[in-house]
């Protein structure tokens, strides 16, 4: 693998796979041009023919295979005009001339809007639909006197002016103020209508508002007829200085026709005054008892009623007077004086039918005849007298055991008696002597002897494989076969610690595709790096768990988000380069699992025997089958079941699983699957963490890789490029290939598994920044060319200047470019 520096190698012609290209500021543009020209099509006959054309302007036409000529569009005089027929100055334009000549042409059909026709010949009025038109002018027609007979004049469309009453026939206009004709065809004049209305008002004594009166100077009543009314505009008196007081807004109404102006004494009886302001007027009942106290009726404050209560005899007690209460019942008494006291005389009894509450601070005290202190519920036992262990035991309602209480940190227990537990109990209960003896005896049962310095470890009651016995020898170095050495290293996690666990991202802590912490996934679609979902009918929701339990910092969670119950799970396929060394070897799968429902979880080790690294991801053939073999539950094509198992889980309780098997010699890829044994209801969750597939006969402690190493393994299959500071940094440098094309190169660092597929979060998340012009809007990722370690991206833009360099920039914190080389 070579390292190529542009300043040492100005022309890079034959880069090899894995070569690293170091860019410097003086040669960035030349390197970009070299990279962009790499995929240029080689020379052929068509290109040669095109190159042979001269530099004259014209339109290119292929007359036969690999033969091209220049053509120019031309027009016909007075019929069609052609602008820029060679295309040298832009697109050719076809148009009609301002003056068209149709000699020898026939125009059929079509529509002519607003044409100007000069000196037409051979046209008669019938040809244009004017057969009834003569040549008499409108002025001649309108000047003649015409008599209209049986004609209807539309008043809304015509104006008749200069009409007088005399122009109407007799009895059409009627000036009779009595309207005696009572006709439905006569039109009364204004004078007749006014006189008729005035007579009606006067005859019926209707109320007629005559105006307002300023009473501030105490004026006399005005002369008036019955029904005339006046409004007081300024308060004062009406009817002279000895008249009636009135307020602003009061109404004066005359009661008698022909009333003369005068004072209150002279004409006041002929007038009625209506008060405008009655707010606060109080009314009483029809009758009441003399001496009773009035009270208000309702909440309006204007109606009084007889309370039925008379004032007590004697002096009325005030708020500061002392009064003796005898035979009284007090409901809700509150004593608020800070100096007074409530005294209950000797030989008297205070009776509280419900609860008696003494409010006060914790420092308050209640004194009793014999003295003492009140204890509160919140007090500690120290508020009471010292109590012995025996006294305390005597008042305990659920006492268990015998003996004295011991209160101390790290107490010394003298001959404590504990219960006998069950063998295998892993709780933190104290164990009796008998329990410990039985447990030790069970652990060493079957061990007969341990050889000396020259012997091997032997067991009674059975035999062990020679390979295992060889590995157990301790007295001298052993000659192990290569297979035995490999198995020993695998079981011990030695040799290649980074790949001791063949599964990548075993707990789902890396999730490059999703930033929000939750995503909907369908059957066969990836969620966490390297893990994809398995669903029976509909998608499920994937999310990440953190700090699940001690020793398990991360777990993957699948949530059955659909109303219809279904089976679901997840799987990972291991790349051939990381698992073909396991052919013919024993392997074991382990994991930490949990479900929110009490149910059975299944798991399996699957072998893909087809073409390496192109396996089917949908290993499930029939979700409804309960026979877990190829052709039934699993797909039969190129699929071998190394091992499958199950565990019955308690709801919301994590458990460990282990599954061992031997990989066949035909395995090209190995996959692990976890799935629910039965259809699960909506919102049931499945959690998986610490998933480990390793060589060996039994699981070893979970191999923890650093976050950097785990991310490095994940980036072989998926990596993203983005930025969380939009508008402040550039992702890469590129150049504008044409007004509509922008290209850029993004190095991928360490090679990916294969040339990745490329996609972007959204075109609106990015732009091309031309320093010599302006920012260019990106509308689409049009194409890409990729290798395992570099990708060339081509974007569709508008308004670019060919040949200009431009910076590729992110506009949004959600901007992402995805490079996917997953299996």
């Amino acid at each position: 693998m070579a390292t190529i520096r542009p300043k040492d190698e100005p022309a890079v012609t034959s880069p090899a796979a894995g070569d690293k290209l170091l860019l410097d500021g003086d040669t960035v543009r030349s390197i970009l041009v070299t990279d962009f020209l790499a995929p240029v099509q080689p020379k052929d006959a068509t290109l040669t023919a095109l190159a042979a054309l001269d530099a004259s302007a014209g339109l290119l036409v292929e007359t036969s295979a690999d033969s091209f000529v220049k053509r120019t569009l031309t027009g016909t005089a007075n019929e069609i005009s052609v602008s820029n027929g060679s295309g040298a100055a832009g697109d050719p334009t076809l148009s009609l001339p301002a003056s068209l000549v149709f000699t020898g042409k026939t125009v059929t059909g079509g529509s002519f809007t607003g044409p100007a026709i000069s000196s037409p010949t051979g046209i008669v009025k019938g040809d244009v639909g004017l057969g009834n038109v003569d040549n008499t002018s409108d002025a001649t027609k309108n000047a003649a006197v015409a008599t209209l007979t049986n004609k209807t004049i539309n008043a809304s469309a015509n104006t008749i002016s200069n009409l007088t009453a005399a122009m109407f026939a007799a009895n059409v206009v009627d000036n009779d103020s009595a309207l005696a004709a009572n006709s439905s065809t006569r039109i009364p004049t204004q004078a007749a209508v006014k006189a008729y209305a005035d007579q009606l008002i006067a005859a019926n004594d209707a109320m007629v508002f005559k105006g307002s009166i300023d009473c501030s100077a105490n004026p006399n009543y005005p002369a008036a007829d019955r029904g005339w009314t006046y409004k007081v505009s300024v308060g004062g008196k009406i009817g002279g200085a000895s008249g009636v007081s009135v307020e602003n807004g009061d109404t004066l109404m005359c009661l008698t026709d022909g009333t003369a102006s005068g004072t209150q004494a002279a004409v006041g009886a002929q007038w009625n005054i209506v008060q405008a302001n009655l707010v606060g007027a109080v009314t009483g009942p029809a009758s009441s008892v003399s001496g009773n106290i009035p009270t208000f009726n309702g909440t309006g404050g204007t109606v009084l009623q007889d309370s039925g209560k008379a004032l007590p005899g004697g002096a009325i007690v005030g708020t500061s007077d002392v009064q003796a209460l005898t035979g009284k019942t007090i409901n809700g008494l509150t004593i608020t004086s800070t100096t007074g006291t409530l005294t209950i005389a000797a030989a008297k009894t205070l009776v509280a039918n419900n609860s008696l509450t003494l409010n006060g601070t914790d420092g308050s005290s209640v004194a009793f005849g014999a003295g003492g202190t009140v204890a509160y519920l919140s007090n500690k036992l120290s508020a009471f007298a010292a109590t012995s262990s025996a006294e305390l035991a005597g008042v305990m309602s659920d006492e268990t055991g015998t003996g004295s209480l011991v209160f101390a940190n790290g107490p010394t227990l003298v001959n404590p008696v504990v219960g006998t537990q069950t063998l295998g109990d892993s709780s933190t209960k104290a164990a009796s002597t008998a329990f410990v003896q039985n447990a030790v005896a069970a652990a060493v049962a079957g061990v007969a002897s341990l050889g000396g310095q020259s012997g091997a470890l032997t067991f009674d009651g059975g035999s062990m494989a020679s390979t295992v016995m060889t590995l157990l020898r301790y007295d001298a170095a052993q000659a192990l076969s290569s297979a035995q050495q490999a198995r020993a290293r695998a079981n011990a996690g030695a040799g290649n610690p980074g790949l001791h666990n063949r599964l990548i991202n075993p707990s789902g802590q890396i999730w490059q595709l999703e930033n929000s912490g939750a995503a909907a996934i369908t059957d066969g679609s990836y969620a966490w790096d390297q893990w994809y979902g398995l669903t029976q009918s509909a998608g499920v929701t994937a999310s990440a768990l953190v700090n699940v339990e001690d020793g398990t910092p991360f777990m993957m969670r699948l949530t059955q988000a659909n109303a219809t119950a279904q089976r679901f799970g997840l799987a990972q396929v291991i790349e051939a380069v990381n698992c073909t060394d396991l052919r013919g070897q024993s392997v074991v799968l382990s994991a930490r699992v949990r479900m929110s429902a009490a149910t059975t979880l299944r798991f399996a080790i699957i072998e893909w025997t087809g073409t390496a690294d192109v396996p089917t991801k949908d290993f499930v053939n029939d979700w409804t089958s309960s026979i877990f073999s190829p052709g039934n539950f699993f797909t039969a094509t190129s699929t071998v079941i190394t091992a499958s198992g199950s565990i019955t889980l308690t709801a919301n309780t994590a458990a460990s699983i282990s599954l061992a098997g031997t990989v066949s010699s035909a395995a090209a890829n190995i996959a692990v699957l976890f799935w629910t044994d039965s259809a699960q209801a909506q919102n049931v969750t499945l959690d998986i963490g610490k998933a480990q597939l390793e060589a060996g006969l039994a699981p070893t402690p979970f191999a923890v890789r650093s976050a950097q190493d785990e991310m490095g393994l994940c980036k072989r299959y998926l990596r993203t490029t983005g930025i969380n500071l939009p508008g402040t940094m550039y992702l890469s440098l590129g150049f504008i290939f044409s007004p509509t094309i922008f290209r850029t190169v993004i190095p991928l660092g360490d090679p990916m598994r294969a040339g990745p597929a490329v996609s972007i979060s959204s075109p609106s998340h990015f732009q091309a920044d031309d320093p010599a012009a302006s920012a260019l809007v990106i509308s689409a990722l049009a194409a890409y060319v990729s290798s395992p370690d570099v990708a060339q991206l081509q974007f569709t833009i508008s308004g670019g200047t060919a040949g200009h360099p431009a910076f590729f920039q992110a506009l949004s914190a959600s901007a992402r470019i995805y490079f996917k080389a997953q299996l």
Side-chain angles (χ1 to χ4, degrees):
M1 180 176 67
T3 299
I4 302 171
R5 289 179 169 83
K7 63 183 180 180
D8 300 329
E9 300 290 340
V12 182
T13 58
S14 302
D19 284 355
K20 293 183 178 179
L21 186 62
L22 303 181
L23 305 180
D24 57 52
D26 297 333
T27 59
V28 171
R29 186 182 178 96
S30 64
I31 295 302
L32 288 174
V33 172
T34 301
D35 289 341
F36 291 152
L37 293 180
V40 171
Q41 179 178 334
K43 176 182 178 182
D44 64 8
T46 301
L47 296 178
T48 300
L50 291 173
L53 294 174
D54 58 28
S56 62
L59 303 179
L60 188 62
V61 176
E62 187 173 14
T63 59
S64 62
D66 299 331
S67 294
F68 300 89
V69 296
K70 301 284 184 63
R71 304 289 193 201
T72 300
L73 296 176
T74 59
T76 302
N78 298 324
E79 293 185 3
I80 191 166
S81 299
V82 177
S83 176
N84 189 32
S86 67
D91 295 332
T93 302
L94 304 180
S95 62
L96 296 176
S99 178
L100 289 173
V101 176
F102 288 99
T103 304
K105 305 293 191 296
T106 300
V107 178
T108 303
S111 299
F112 298 89
T113 302
I117 302 176
S118 301
S119 304
T121 60
I123 299 176
V124 299
K125 62 183 182 180
D127 293 338
V128 293
L130 299 175
N132 296 322
V133 176
D134 57 26
N135 202 27
T136 303
S137 68
D138 289 341
T140 301
K141 293 178 180 179
N142 293 334
V145 176
T147 300
L148 302 180
T149 304
N150 296 327
K151 299 294 190 266
T152 299
I153 299 177
N154 186 345
S156 63
N158 296 279
T159 300
I160 302 175
S161 59
N162 299 323
L163 284 177
T164 63
M167 294 179 180
F168 289 90
N171 296 325
V172 173
V173 177
D174 191 346
N175 199 35
D176 180 11
S177 62
L179 302 182
N182 193 24
S183 173
S184 59
T185 60
R186 295 188 181 188
I187 303 173
T189 63
Q190 283 190 4
V193 173
K194 182 179 184 304
Y196 182 78
D198 289 343
Q199 293 170 7
L200 287 179
I201 293 173
N204 292 279
D205 294 326
M207 290 182 62
V208 179
F209 178 69
K210 304 298 289 184
S212 59
I213 296 179
D214 182 349
C215 295
S216 59
N218 305 329
N220 287 335
Y221 286 100
D225 288 332
R226 183 165 58 182
W228 288 16
T229 60
Y230 293 85
K231 183 69 69 176
V232 176
S233 61
V234 180
K237 290 186 178 183
I238 187 69
S242 300
V244 178
S245 296
V246 292
E247 297 179 354
N248 183 20
D250 288 355
T251 300
L252 309 179
M253 181 186 298
C254 182
L255 304 177
T256 305
D257 285 336
T259 300
S261 177
T263 63
Q264 176 67 31
V267 298
Q270 311 306 321
W271 289 86
N272 185 29
I273 300 175
V274 180
Q275 288 183 282
N277 182 11
L278 293 178
V279 177
V282 179
T283 62
S287 62
S288 63
V289 177
S290 178
N292 281 1
I293 300 173
T295 59
F296 283 109
N297 185 351
T299 60
T302 59
V303 181
L304 295 179
Q305 64 182 356
D306 189 332
S307 68
K309 302 291 184 180
L311 290 173
I316 299 177
V317 179
T319 57
S320 60
D321 296 318
V322 177
Q323 183 179 18
L325 301 179
T326 303
K328 305 297 182 185
T329 299
I330 300 175
N331 185 359
L333 173 65
T334 300
I335 301 175
T336 59
S337 174
T338 57
T339 57
T341 59
L342 174 63
T343 303
I344 301 176
K348 302 299 180 183
T349 302
L350 175 63
V351 178
N353 292 328
N354 293 306
S355 60
L356 177 62
T357 302
L358 303 176
N359 294 321
T361 63
D362 290 341
S364 301
S365 63
V366 178
F368 297 93
T373 302
V374 175
Y376 294 92
L377 290 176
S378 59
N379 284 136
K380 301 183 182 298
L381 292 177
S382 58
F384 298 90
T387 304
S388 67
S389 297
E391 290 171 337
L392 181 60
V395 298
M396 294 176 64
S397 61
D398 189 19
E399 182 181 358
T400 301
T402 60
S404 301
L405 293 176
V406 177
F407 299 98
N409 291 328
T412 300
L413 304 179
V414 179
N415 297 326
V417 179
V418 297
T420 301
Q421 312 303 328
T422 304
L423 288 177
D425 189 342
S426 61
S427 68
T428 57
K429 300 174 182 176
S432 65
T433 303
F435 174 82
V436 175
Q437 291 174 341
N438 291 337
V440 172
V444 301
V447 179
S449 63
L450 181 64
Q453 293 297 318
S454 60
L457 185 64
T458 60
F459 293 87
D460 292 340
S463 60
M464 300 184 68
S466 59
T467 298
V468 176
M469 293 303 297
T470 301
L471 294 175
L472 289 175
R473 292 186 63 84
Y474 63 89
D475 56 344
Q478 303 299 314
L480 303 180
S481 68
S482 58
Q484 291 172 335
Q485 294 177 27
R487 178 168 297 176
R489 284 194 299 270
N491 286 338
N496 189 352
L499 284 179
H500 170 61
N501 182 5
R502 306 305 174 98
L503 297 176
I504 297 175
N505 195 24
S507 295
Q509 66 267 42
I510 298 177
W511 197 355
Q512 296 185 78
L513 282 177
E514 182 61 36
N515 299 317
S516 64
I521 59 172
T522 55
D523 190 39
S525 65
Y526 281 95
W528 314 272
D529 280 38
Q530 290 301 97
W531 293 97
Y532 62 87
L534 300 171
T535 62
Q536 180 178 358
S537 57
V540 294
T541 300
S543 57
L545 303 180
V546 181
N547 296 328
V548 182
E549 59 180 359
D550 290 345
T552 309
F554 303 100
M555 290 186 91
M556 299 171 283
R557 167 165 287 185
L558 287 178
T559 302
Q560 205 294 88
N562 302 279
T564 302
Q566 65 167 341
R567 297 163 87 173
F568 63 98
L570 75 165
Q572 182 176 144
V573 179
I574 304 172
E575 187 182 358
V577 70
N578 292 331
C579 67
T580 51
D581 64 304
L582 297 178
R583 290 178 176 176
Q585 303 297 311
S586 297
V587 295
V588 59
L589 170 67
S590 59
R592 193 74 172 156
V593 298
R594 180 176 65 182
M595 291 191 70
S596 62
T599 186
T600 298
L601 177 68
R602 291 194 171 272
F603 37 89
I605 305 172
I606 307 294
E607 299 172 25
W608 171 256
T609 60
T611 304
D613 294 340
V614 288
T616 176
K617 291 195 298 182
D618 191 3
F619 285 105
V620 178
N621 177 57
D622 182 6
W623 279 100
T624 62
S625 176
S626 59
I627 302 174
F628 301 102
S629 60
N632 292 293
F633 183 82
F634 292 104
T635 301
T637 304
S638 302
T639 301
V640 174
I641 311 304
T642 302
S644 64
S646 63
I647 184 174
T648 300
L649 297 173
T650 302
N652 298 313
T653 301
S656 297
I657 62 101
S658 175
L659 176 66
T662 301
V663 179
S664 73
S665 59
N669 293 94
I670 299 176
V672 297
L673 281 72
F674 298 85
W675 74 96
T676 59
D677 182 64
S678 59
Q680 300 300 308
Q682 187 176 25
N683 296 325
V684 170
T685 59
L686 165 61
D687 303 334
I688 297 177
K690 300 174 71 172
Q692 181 163 280
L693 181 70
E694 56 188 310
L697 299 172
T700 63
F702 178 67
V704 178
R705 289 186 286 260
S706 69
Q708 295 89 336
D709 290 342
E710 203 71 66
M711 179 61 80
L713 294 174
C714 291
K715 285 190 173 182
R716 176 172 170 81
Y717 306 93
L718 169 70
R719 64 185 60 185
T720 65
T721 296
I723 193 166
N724 287 322
L725 298 173
T728 62
M729 297 180 65
Y730 297 112
L731 298 179
S732 62
L733 176 66
F735 82 102
I736 301 172
F737 186 78
S738 73
T740 60
I741 296 176
F742 167 72
R743 291 178 178 172
T744 186
V745 171
I746 297 183
L748 300 178
D750 294 336
M752 300 185 69
R753 184 186 68 84
V758 182
S759 61
I760 61 176
S761 54
S762 171
S764 64
H765 291 167
F766 304 93
Q767 75 178 19
D769 191 359
D770 183 352
S774 60
L776 304 175
V777 176
I778 291 176
S779 59
L781 172 63
Y784 66 88
V785 178
S786 65
S787 67
D789 53 5
V790 68
Q792 174 184 297
L793 310 184
Q794 179 170 300
F795 294 93
T796 300
I797 61 174
S798 61
T801 303
H804 277 204
F807 294 101
F808 184 43
Q809 182 180 18
L811 297 179
S812 167
S814 299
R816 293 291 184 275
I817 305 176
Y818 300 101
F819 304 92
K820 301 179 182 179
Q822 299 150 322
L823 295 175

